[in-house]
Amino acid sequence: MKRNILCIGAGYVGGPTMAMIARQCPDRRVTVVDINEARIRAWNSDALPIYEPGLDEVVKTCRGRNLFFTTEIGRAIAEADIIFVSVNTPTKTFGAGAGAAADLQYWEKTARLIVEHATADKIVVEKSTLPVRTAAAMSRILHAGPSAVHFEVLSNPEFLAEGTAMADLARPDRVLIGGAETPSGQAAVAELVSLYAAWVPRERILTTNVWSSELSKLAANAFLAQRISSINALSALCEATEANVTEVARAIGMDARIGPRFLQAGVGFGGSCFKKDILNLVYLCETYGLTEVADYWRQVVHINDYQQKRFVAAMVRAMFNTVADKRIAVLGFAFKADTGDTRESPAIRIVRLLADEHARVVVSDPRALDNARRDLADLGDRVAFDADPYAAAIQADAVAVLTDWREYLSLDFGRIYRGMRHPSFLFDGRNFLDHRALFDLGFNVQAIGRTPLSHLDTET
Ligand code: UDX
Ligand code: UDX
């Protein structure tokens, strides 16, 4: 058995994944390294650097037993049998492919570090989402030097979603492992299968060739995002025709071939993966000259951008075509509930568009305020922050709910309404509040893909 497991990159993917392996495989020694010392310090403290329900408990149980966080990358590489690479692969912001291709510089630096410190054969596992055929490049870098050490590169993408990471890791729909169709490739695949088989039923562990595995990760995220853009595109049509997008989603979702999940219309998808991975897919298609295929997937991102612009335009229109100097309370800044993560959050774009209209925006969120402050730092005093949603809404003209936090369902909206300027508007960007009850309290309610509930119409 390959006992020593190492993960390079202690982020949203690496941290929880390794914590789960340590918990499920007490006979393996799991080490997690990162170039960011503050992050490693946080992993070794009581205040972990990321919030995931259930993560604290697993880390507390395993840390110091068979789970270790360290910055001693060289030594950790030398000691490891299996190395997971989970460093970030953001969208390139410079040079060829800027705005679309994956920036592979961290990933390549990591490959070079592995070569420098490895003294015995190792299995290297791509956990980061990477363009198809990256494993070949990685293998070339790993074998470029004079050393006789052999590296077997596997692809093992992670499908966890933030907020449910520990549950997703404990009971994954599937674990995907791609390896070379050579004896050493297949032996490495068998090693990784045996690691996961400690807790994942064997029939859920899928083995493929490397390229299928790499592409499946991009394809899965593209399909999920495409469902969201499809329902969001229809939400615009619902608003124009007085159909109700929630009813339409329910009706189509009951078709077993379509299924009910990922059909929630809203202000669009955020998160570190969907946009990045689709753009990466688009870039790959273009690289292979598949212009029509690239255009098809690019449209998924266009609709997502359009949805946010459309939401702000509808707000301005409802509020008598001006939000200048009006106070707007934004409730929810995280890209979805149960996470403090704000990467690519629709709220970033929406707050910026409102600030462009000279609104006075106050942002509230139960977990994401620190990130929100960083994301909007350049707006200066054009945006304020308040952890208390009631305080944020005082004297506001409108409340815009942008994250579907469960606690927002039990807010005392009567109290919020009484503290606001009237007429008061409520924009439900996640379509999850009780609109009729809010309307009865006095709010003019506008959601996505539904007919607005307005007291103003009835008066005119
Ligand atoms: C990242 C990618 O976003 C995702 O596409 C991929 O599937 C997995 O890796 P995530 O874990 O969310 O996902 O990224 P992030 O939280 O940014 O963590 C990456 C970590 O790698 C950071 O802590 C960073 O400090 C570390 N890192 C980066 C290194 O240790 N070495 C490097 O050279 C670069
Ligand atoms: C996603 C994938 O689900 C996961 O498998 C992959 O490993 C990483 O990317 P994540 O980004 O954590 O996970 O969140 P997810 O739950 O997929 O939600 C992404 C975004 O879509 C959120 O902004 C969410 O609010 C939005 N969404 C989701 C909708 O707008 N409607 C839906 O019906 C579902």
Side-chain angles (χ1 to χ4, degrees):
M1 184 180 70
K2 307 275 187 198
R3 188 167 173 272
N4 285 333
I5 314 285
L6 169 66
C7 177
I8 304 180
Y12 284 88
V13 171
T17 308
M18 292 304 122
M20 184 56 66
I21 292 178
R23 184 177 91 176
Q24 305 287 5
C25 309
D27 47 351
R28 315 252 188 178
R29 183 187 161 90
V30 181
T31 306
V32 187
V33 296
D34 201 292
I35 46 168
N36 182 336
E37 284 181 23
R39 214 164 206 194
I40 290 296
R41 259 199 312 279
W43 278 109
N44 280 321
S45 76
D46 285 338
L48 301 185
I50 63 172
Y51 169 72
E52 275 297 335
L55 175 65
D56 278 37
E57 197 192 318
V58 176
V59 170
K60 266 190 203 126
T61 311
C62 302
R63 199 170 52 194
R65 182 189 77 182
N66 68 330
L67 177 64
F68 304 91
F69 296 92
T70 166
T71 48
E72 287 182 56
I73 301 185
R75 201 179 69 172
I77 290 173
E79 288 173 358
D81 301 310
I82 303 179
I83 302 178
F84 288 86
V85 180
S86 180
V87 299
N88 39 340
T89 48
T91 304
K92 235 180 134 183
T93 54
F94 55 88
D103 182 348
L104 298 176
Q105 60 172 315
Y106 306 117
W107 165 88
E108 179 171 338
K109 279 179 195 145
T110 305
R112 290 183 190 279
L113 264 180
I114 295 175
V115 179
E116 188 185 330
H117 295 282
T119 48
D121 291 359
K122 298 191 190 296
I123 298 174
V124 176
V125 186
E126 298 177 344
K127 252 298 166 211
S128 308
T129 305
L130 294 162
V132 184
R133 303 202 74 87
T134 303
M138 182 159 219
S139 187
R140 246 174 263 134
I141 294 171
L142 289 171
H143 293 113
S147 156
V149 173
H150 177 72
F151 300 95
E152 197 58 48
V153 182
L154 302 180
S155 161
N156 171 222
E158 185 46 65
F159 296 100
L160 65 81
E162 286 177 35
T164 54
M166 299 314 280
D168 295 342
L169 286 164
R171 285 174 300 281
D173 286 351
R174 77 313 205 177
V175 166
L176 181 57
I177 300 173
E181 285 152 336
T182 57
S184 65
Q186 290 306 300
V189 168
E191 275 295 341
L192 202 52
V193 168
S194 80
L195 176 71
Y196 283 105
W199 79 98
V200 180
R202 185 61 188 82
E203 65 277 11
R204 290 192 177 223
I205 306 179
L206 219 67
T207 57
T208 65
N209 77 29
V210 186
W211 327 127
S212 304
S213 171
E214 288 178 331
L215 182 57
S216 297
K217 170 67 190 188
L218 295 182
N221 278 345
F223 263 66
L224 291 169
Q226 182 218 40
R227 279 174 72 94
I228 300 170
S229 279
S230 295
I231 199 71
N232 283 341
L234 286 173
S235 76
L237 187 59
C238 287
E239 285 163 33
T241 57
E242 294 189 23
N244 175 329
V245 76
T246 308
E247 293 175 354
V248 173
R250 193 175 308 127
I252 62 174
M254 282 175 76
D255 186 326
R257 294 167 301 177
I258 296 174
R261 299 177 68 191
F262 272 71
L263 285 180
Q264 176 72 29
V267 281
F269 56 78
S272 68
C273 290
F274 281 177
K275 185 174 171 191
K276 166 173 76 74
D277 290 351
I278 294 175
L279 292 177
N280 192 337
L281 187 65
V282 165
Y283 185 73
L284 266 175
C285 294
E286 280 171 347
T287 307
Y288 289 103
L290 304 169
T291 311
E292 285 79 1
V293 186
D295 288 347
Y296 174 77
W297 288 109
R298 192 184 283 110
Q299 201 57 24
V300 172
V301 176
H302 276 170
I303 287 288
N304 202 50
D305 292 343
Y306 163 74
Q307 189 73 348
Q308 287 149 32
K309 272 196 249 157
R310 207 169 73 75
F311 185 73
V312 173
M315 285 180 76
V316 175
R317 210 166 38 244
M319 296 170 76
F320 319 109
N321 289 312
T322 175
V323 292
D325 208 31
K326 287 181 181 166
R327 181 171 163 110
I328 297 178
V330 163
L331 302 193
F333 200 82
F335 81 97
K336 65 176 189 179
D338 292 325
T339 175
D341 194 353
T342 61
R343 289 178 291 178
E344 298 293 340
S345 177
I348 299 176
R349 178 94 185 285
I350 289 170
V351 169
R352 287 184 181 283
L353 289 171
L354 290 170
D356 287 347
E357 293 289 338
H358 293 190
R360 291 181 288 120
V361 182
V362 186
V363 175
S364 186
D365 189 284
R367 291 210 179 262
L369 271 198
D370 288 345
N371 281 331
R373 281 196 185 88
R374 272 193 289 274
D375 295 333
L376 303 173
D378 59 301
L379 291 183
D381 58 7
R382 293 159 71 199
V383 56
F385 303 88
D386 202 318
D388 177 4
Y390 297 102
I394 294 269
Q395 284 300 307
D397 296 85
V399 168
V401 183
L402 302 186
T403 310
D404 48 349
W405 285 106
R406 253 186 316 278
E407 46 257 67
Y408 290 162
L409 290 170
S410 48
L411 282 177
D412 181 350
F413 279 100
R415 179 177 156 200
I416 289 181
Y417 178 76
R418 287 189 297 277
M420 290 174 67
R421 290 211 316 166
H422 299 156
S424 313
F425 295 85
L426 192 138
F427 300 95
D428 182 359
R430 293 291 180 176
N431 263 358
F432 76 124
L433 299 173
D434 182 343
H435 300 152
R436 178 51 60 176
L438 291 165
F439 177 70
D440 289 343
L441 285 172
F443 283 105
N444 298 294
V445 184
Q446 200 153 317
I448 300 222
R450 292 165 183 232
T451 307
L453 299 174
S454 173
H455 297 286
L456 303 164
D457 290 345
T458 52
E459 281 161 20
T460 50

